[in-house]
Amino acid sequence: MTVQAKDKIKNQQDIQPVYLESGIEVRAVYTADAVHHDTVKELPGQYPFTRGIHPLMYRKRPFTIRQYAGFATPEETNKRFHFLIKNGQTGLNVAFDLPTQIGLDSDDPRALGEVGRVGMSVDTLVDFEKAFEGIDLDKITVSLTINGSAIVLMAMYFALAEKRGYDISTLRGTAQNDILKEFIGRGTWIFPVEASVKMVVDTVEYCAHHVPKYSPVSVCGYHIRESGANPVQEMAYAFCIAKAYTDETLKRGVDIDEFASRLSFNFDIYGNLFEQVAKFRGGRRLWAKIIKEQYGAKKDKSCWMRMIAGGGGGGLTKEQPENNIIRSAYYALLSALSGTQTMALCSYDEAYTIPTEKAAEISLRTMQIMIHEMGICDTVDPLGGSYYVEALTDKMEEAIIREMDSIDSEGGILKNIANGHVQDKISEQAYLREKAIQEGRVKKVGLNCYKHDEPPKPVEFHPYNEAAARQQMDNLKNIKAARNNGEVESRLETIRKDAMENKNLMPSIINAVKSYASVGEIIQILKEVYGEYDEPIMF
Amino acid sequence: MDKMKILLAKPGLDGHDVGVKVLARALIDAGFSVSYTGLRKSIEEIVDRATLENADAIGLSILSGTHNVLCQKLADVMKKQQLDIPWIIGGNIPAGDCDGLVKIGATAAFATGTSIQEVCNFFTKLQKQLAEKSNSNISKSKA
C-alpha cells in the first residue's frame, strides 16, 4: 500500500460518521460508482420522471406561488386575497377556521372563541360569494385547505362557479381533502375512517365525471412530517394513503387514467437540503412506477407526482425569529431544485402566530428573488447528474419502498391508522427528535446554539377579531331567516337518504348548498348516518 | 405520596397534538403517571375525567389562541364541581398572556418556546409541595 493510500484511509477514519434524519449514512466523497440508477440517460418529462414531470419545467413557466391565507370574515379574507394577487401571487390557498374545518356553524356553542380565529369562517354559500368577489376563477386557481368537511366546501365552490356562469367542466383548482392524514396529524377528522374515505372517493368519482380539470385530493405527507415523521416515512405514508384512495376509486369502476392525473401531493421542505431533494426525486420516480406498473395506467400524465412542496414550519424557531427568513429561503431553494409545481413558504413569524402582512410579503419576495435573480428557472433539474444527489435519490427510493412494505405487511394503512399504530410510531419519532434538540445532539441555531442572552423581544400577534365573529353569527341568523327553509329541509333529507343508500353524496350536497343549507347542518345529517370517529389514545 | 397523576388535555377544537404527546412521553420518562384525553374535549369532559381518575393535576394544551376563553371556563367549571387541584396551561401562549392566566387560576402558564425539561422540573417541584402538604395534613389529623 502506498503512503498516500494509507493517509487516505487514516483520514477517512478520523472523520465522524454522518447520518441523515432518515438513517442513511453519508459518505465524505461521492464518485460515479455510487450511482446505480440510469438517470444519466433520463430526460425530464419522460417516464419515470425522476428529473421532473415536464420537459422544460420552469424554463416554460415558474412554479405557482400560493401563500396560505384567510382569516375572520369572508370580507376580510377577500381583502387579503386581493392584496396577494396585486403583489404577484398566481394562486390562492384558503385557510378556514376550526369550526368550519370540523363542520360546526359559527353559532354552535362548541365554536365559542374559535370563529374566524385561524382562518375564514364559512357557514353558507353566501360566505363563498363574498370571499371570492372580484376574483376571476378562470385566472386564479384556488386551493381549499379543508379536509373533514371537504365534501361540503368543494360542493360550495362548484355551486359558486356555476352560479357565476363558469363551465365547471373546465374549472381548475385543488382541495386538500386528504382525511387519512388528519387521523395522523392535524386532527380535523369528523367521521369514522371508513365513512371518511367513502366521502373522499365520492369527490374523486364526481370530479372524474363532471369537473375533470379539478384536483379533488392533495395527499399530504406534509402534516405527517410535521407530526414527527422522518422524510422517508413522510413519503411512504403519503403514497400508502394515495394508494388507498386509488384502490377505493377503482372499485367504483372509474378507470385509473380518468383520475390518477388529478391526484396531487403536498410535501414538507424543512431539514437537510440534499435529503429533501433526493426524497422528491426518488419519490417522483417511485410514484410513476407504482401508477404504471401496479395500476396499469397508460397515460404518462397519470404517473406524474404533481406537488406543492412548501411550508417548512417544523424547521422554524420562535427564538431569533428573523433567522426563519434565512431558513425559508433555503427551503424555497431546495423546493425549486426538486422540481415542485407549487410553492408556499411559512412566514418567519409563523412559529407563533398567523403571519402579519409584512411577514407574508417577505415570503412572497423570497420566492420572487429566487425566480428573477438567482437563475433558478434557467435549466431543468440542475442537480441531476450529481454523484451525491443521484446516489441519495436511489437510496431514498429504496427506503420509501421498504417503509411502504412494512405497513403493508402489518395489514395496510387503513388498519394501521384506525388502530393508532402509525400515530404511535410517528409520535415516538417526535419525542426522540425533541429530546435530541433539547440535549443539543440535533443543532438548531438560536435555540440550542448561538443563543442570545437577552430576553426575546415581544412579538407582534395577529389580534382576534371578536366583532367579526359576532357579525358572522348575525349574518348566519339573517340568512337562515331569509332562505326557503322548506326547500333546505327537503334537500337535507335527500342527503340523508343518499347516505343511507350508499350513493355518491356530491350531487345532493351541491343541491343543498345552493339553497343555502349551512356546513353545520349538512355535517350533522351525515353524523347521524355515519357516527363520529373514536380517537385511539396513543402517545 | 405515590406517583403523581397528571391528566393532559386538549380542550377546544385545535388539532395540534405533537407537543402534548411529546410532553406525555417525557413526563412518563420522568416518573409521573400520565393520562391524555385526546382531541377536542369540552372543559366539562376534562373536569369530569380528572375527578373520575383522581388526578393530582391537569395540564391543558392549546395552540389555536383560544387559551384565555378556555382557561376561564376551566376555572369556572372546576369551582362549580369543587375540584381543587393545580392546573397548568401550555402550547402557543404569548408571554404577555401568562400573568393573566395565572390570575384566572393557573398554577403556572408556560409561554411558547418553553422547554420540555422546564415543564418536567415544574411537576417535580409540584409533586414535592403536594407531598409536604399531604404529610402536614396527616400529622395535623394525628394531633
Side-chain angles (χ1 to χ4, degrees):
Chain A
M1 199 182 273
T2 64
V3 177
Q4 279 151 326
K6 274 185 190 163
D7 276 353
K8 198 172 153 196
I9 289 168
K10 191 168 168 284
N11 285 340
Q12 293 268 346
Q13 284 166 343
D14 282 346
I15 57 169
Q16 290 289 319
V18 168
Y19 294 95
L20 299 175
E21 220 184 313
S22 304
I24 294 164
E25 188 173 2
V26 181
R27 292 191 204 168
V29 178
Y30 280 81
T31 50
D33 67 298
V35 185
H36 302 298
H37 197 273
D38 225 3
T39 0
V40 196
K41 290 183 201 138
E42 265 185 42
L43 281 172
Q46 285 181 11
Y47 182 86
F49 307 105
T50 315
R51 306 194 58 195
I53 61 172
H54 301 298
L56 294 174
M57 291 297 291
Y58 309 146
R59 185 65 180 263
K60 202 167 165 196
R61 196 181 67 199
F63 47 85
T64 302
I65 295 177
R66 205 200 301 270
Q67 287 294 97
Y68 191 44
F71 43 88
T73 58
E75 291 89 343
E76 269 192 89
T77 302
N78 182 262
K79 269 188 226 155
R80 177 67 76 103
F81 286 168
H82 281 286
F83 165 83
L84 289 167
I85 292 167
K86 204 178 107 218
N87 275 276
Q89 184 157 309
T90 47
L92 293 173
N93 188 352
V94 190
F96 296 98
D97 70 357
L98 287 167
T100 307
Q101 292 192 50
I102 61 168
L104 302 177
D105 282 339
S106 57
D107 61 356
D108 190 299
R110 288 165 288 183
L112 178 72
E114 298 277 13
V115 177
R117 189 182 284 275
V118 301
M120 165 167 80
S121 169
V122 176
D123 292 314
T124 68
L125 184 59
V126 170
D127 298 320
F128 260 35
E129 290 164 0
K130 289 178 188 162
F132 296 105
E133 202 175 306
I135 293 166
D136 186 347
L137 303 184
D138 265 345
K139 290 218 175 75
I140 298 288
T141 57
V142 175
S143 172
L144 306 174
T145 302
I146 193 79
N147 296 277
S149 54
I151 193 165
V152 183
L153 278 291
M154 286 170 78
M156 270 189 195
Y157 193 72
F158 298 155
L160 172 80
E162 281 183 350
K163 234 184 126 183
R164 282 176 47 180
Y166 292 99
D167 175 4
I168 66 164
S169 71
T170 57
L171 188 71
R172 290 175 187 277
T174 311
Q176 191 163 87
N177 195 24
D178 171 15
I179 196 62
L180 285 173
K181 67 91 174 47
E182 294 291 323
F183 296 109
I184 298 177
R186 207 173 176 280
T188 70
W189 36 259
I190 302 173
F191 308 102
V193 174
E194 203 182 320
S196 300
V197 172
K198 182 244 185 262
M199 278 180 248
V200 172
V201 177
D202 280 357
T203 64
V204 177
E205 186 186 23
Y206 183 86
C207 287
H209 297 317
H210 305 283
V211 207
K213 305 238 186 258
Y214 195 85
S215 298
V217 180
S218 177
V219 178
C220 298
Y222 186 89
H223 310 85
I224 297 173
R225 173 116 170 96
E226 290 285 315
S227 299
N230 68 34
V232 164
Q233 291 172 317
E234 172 190 8
M235 302 304 279
Y237 300 157
F239 287 167
C240 286
I241 287 172
K243 283 184 69 182
Y245 297 142
T246 303
D247 291 337
E248 293 302 311
T249 308
L250 289 171
K251 284 183 197 162
R252 304 264 181 108
V254 187
D255 188 83
I256 186 77
D257 284 314
E258 278 184 284
F259 70 93
S261 69
R262 300 324 301 164
L263 297 178
S264 64
F265 291 90
N266 177 345
F267 291 117
D268 211 339
I269 51 176
Y270 81 86
N272 180 299
L273 189 150
F274 298 99
E275 186 180 18
Q276 312 313 310
V277 172
K279 153 182 109 174
F280 291 125
R281 296 175 89 252
R284 193 158 48 223
R285 179 157 77 208
L286 176 58
W287 184 247
K289 288 184 194 165
I290 289 172
I291 290 294
K292 191 177 177 129
E293 290 168 17
Q294 293 179 23
Y295 291 107
K298 296 196 178 55
K299 289 186 190 160
D300 261 1
K301 228 177 160 176
S302 303
C303 304
W304 290 354
M305 186 188 87
R306 287 186 304 127
M307 63 175 175
I308 173 168
L316 307 187
T317 64
K318 184 188 168 275
E319 293 75 14
Q320 302 179 26
E322 296 84 354
N323 293 348
N324 293 332
I325 299 174
I326 316 304
R327 288 193 180 98
S328 292
Y330 287 125
Y331 298 161
L333 176 65
L334 78 83
S335 174
L337 290 172
S338 305
T340 192
Q341 279 60 59
T342 302
M343 198 184 297
L345 293 179
C346 283
S347 299
Y348 75 91
D349 53 0
E350 207 157 331
Y352 47 85
T353 187
I354 292 170
T356 55
E357 208 155 274
K358 178 84 194 153
E361 189 184 85
I362 291 174
S363 294
L364 261 179
R365 298 289 176 258
T366 303
M367 292 180 269
Q368 288 160 339
I369 288 168
M370 191 170 65
I371 290 172
H372 298 292
E373 299 181 20
M374 296 295 128
I376 202 75
C377 301
D378 295 350
T379 191
V380 181
D381 188 30
L383 294 185
S386 142
Y387 300 138
Y388 177 35
V389 170
E390 294 297 356
L392 202 53
T393 298
D394 294 348
K395 292 260 186 221
M396 289 299 277
E397 183 187 2
E398 288 160 18
I400 297 165
I401 294 172
R402 272 198 305 277
E403 189 69 37
M404 289 177 76
D405 286 348
S406 98
I407 290 289
D408 283 344
S409 70
E410 286 163 16
I413 193 77
L414 293 178
K415 182 181 160 197
N416 280 283
I417 286 175
N419 67 19
H421 177 65
V422 169
Q423 292 89 316
D424 188 38
K425 256 174 117 162
I426 291 172
S427 101
E428 185 182 5
Q429 288 264 4
Y431 178 48
L432 295 176
R433 183 169 168 82
E434 184 60 32
K435 234 168 123 173
I437 289 173
Q438 302 231 330
E439 288 164 8
R441 283 179 284 119
V442 168
K443 300 265 186 257
K444 288 301 288 181
V445 172
L447 191 160
N448 62 12
C449 54
Y450 311 106
K451 292 199 285 192
H452 280 161
D453 288 334
E454 70 262 34
K457 277 177 257 161
V459 286
E460 225 182 299
F461 272 89
H462 185 81
Y464 179 55
N465 190 339
E466 275 201 50
R470 270 196 304 276
Q471 192 205 322
Q472 180 72 11
M473 287 179 238
D474 285 347
N475 290 349
L476 177 61
K477 211 168 140 189
N478 295 338
I479 292 162
K480 280 186 175 172
R483 68 186 184 182
N484 179 343
N485 280 303
E487 186 182 80
V488 170
E489 210 47 51
S490 94
R491 290 185 179 186
L492 286 173
E493 281 313 308
T494 309
I495 295 175
R496 187 197 305 276
K497 193 168 150 277
D498 284 359
M500 310 262 283
E501 289 170 7
N502 205 24
K503 285 190 186 156
N504 190 316
L505 296 171
M506 262 319 239
S508 57
I509 295 179
I510 291 177
N511 241 343
V513 300
K514 279 182 179 166
S515 62
Y516 300 97
S518 71
V519 175
E521 289 167 329
I522 295 169
I523 294 294
Q524 182 54 37
I525 294 281
L526 295 172
K527 278 181 186 168
E528 287 164 25
V529 177
Y530 296 119
E532 292 180 62
Y533 176 60
D534 186 15
E535 184 190 4
I537 305 301
M538 297 274 185
F539 54 80
Chain B
M1 185 180 179
D2 291 339
K3 268 188 188 179
M4 179 176 174
K5 276 190 218 155
I6 303 166
L7 175 66
L8 296 180
K10 286 287 301 181
L13 310 184
D14 154 40
H16 292 89
D17 59 0
V18 180
V20 72
K21 287 178 171 179
V22 164
L23 180 63
R25 283 176 190 259
L27 288 171
I28 288 169
D29 278 0
F32 297 98
S33 164
V34 177
S35 58
Y36 167 52
T37 59
L39 294 177
R40 273 189 246 156
K41 299 300 175 217
S42 70
I43 293 295
E44 287 82 359
E45 284 172 309
I46 293 166
V47 172
D48 283 350
R49 173 126 178 219
T51 311
L52 200 72
E53 288 184 1
N54 228 343
D56 297 305
I58 299 173
L60 294 186
S61 161
I62 302 170
L63 283 90
S64 70
T66 333
H67 44 273
N68 290 327
V69 181
L70 290 169
C71 285
Q72 185 59 58
K73 182 130 194 235
L74 179 74
D76 295 346
V77 175
M78 282 178 77
K79 199 172 163 193
K80 202 172 134 200
Q81 308 277 12
Q82 296 178 326
L83 179 67
D84 186 19
I85 56 172
W87 59 273
I88 64 154
I89 163 80
N92 190 10
I93 312 294
D97 285 1
C98 287
D99 285 350
L101 292 165
V102 170
K103 268 195 201 117
I104 290 174
T107 306
F110 296 101
T112 316
T114 304
S115 75
I116 295 290
Q117 195 54 49
E118 269 175 75
V119 183
C120 288
N121 292 346
F122 166 84
F123 275 114
T124 308
K125 220 171 111 189
L126 183 68
Q127 172 158 264
K128 232 172 114 189
Q129 286 169 356
L130 291 178
E132 277 162 14
K133 204 169 135 192
S134 81
N135 282 342
S136 78
N137 282 345
I138 290 166
S139 50
K140 262 185 222 159
S141 65
K142 272 181 188 164

